Amino acid sequence: MTPASHGHSQLLTLARKAEAAASDGDPERLENTALTLFEALIAHVDQERSDLAQLAPAQRRLLVRGQQRVVDLLVELAIEAQAPGPCQCTRLSRELSARLSLQADDERRAGIAPPAW
C-alpha cells in the first residue's frame, strides 16, 4: 500500500465542507471547496493506481468504477454550483459524501487503504 497524500479521512472532510457550503447556499465557497476536493481526489486516485494493479481484475474494475463515479459526481456538483438558477447542490453534495464514504470502505476491504480508526 502506498501512502496517499490525501487519505480518505481528509477527502471526507473536504466533502463535508462542500456539503456545508451547499447547505448554506454559498456557491463561491462550494465552488472553491469542490475544486480543492477535485485536486485532492485526483492525486489520491493516482497514488492508489499501483495498489489497484495488484488486485484481481474483477475487484480492480469494481474499485476503479467506484472511483470514477465519485469523480463524475464531483464534476456534476461543480458544474451545478456554477449554473445560474436553482441548484441541486445540497442533494449532490450529500450523495458525494455518501459515495466517497462507501468507496473508502470498499478500498479498505480490498486492502488498499488503512483501517479506519
Side-chain angles (χ1 to χ4, degrees), residues 11-95:
L11 294 172
L12 286 166
T13 296
L14 287 169
R16 289 185 192 108
K17 287 182 178 184
E19 195 174 332
S23 293
D24 292 346
D26 187 341
E28 184 176 332
R29 193 170 99 225
L30 175 57
E31 188 176 339
N32 290 335
T33 304
L35 177 60
T36 301
L37 177 55
F38 181 79
E39 291 169 348
L41 183 59
I42 294 304
H44 179 84
V45 167
D46 283 346
Q47 289 210 346
E48 286 184 338
R49 193 170 313 224
S50 63
D51 293 331
L52 288 168
Q54 304 302 315
L55 298 175
Q59 189 175 31
R60 180 177 54 248
R61 279 192 302 275
L62 179 70
L63 292 174
V64 168
R65 284 183 190 142
Q67 289 177 338
Q68 189 60 54
R69 282 193 298 271
V70 171
V71 171
D72 291 346
L73 187 57
L74 180 53
V75 169
E76 184 180 354
L77 174 62
I79 291 169
E80 184 75 16
Q82 294 175 343
C87 177
Q88 296 294 314
C89 297
T90 301
R91 179 188 62 77
L92 290 169
S93 64
R94 287 180 182 155
E95 186 177 343

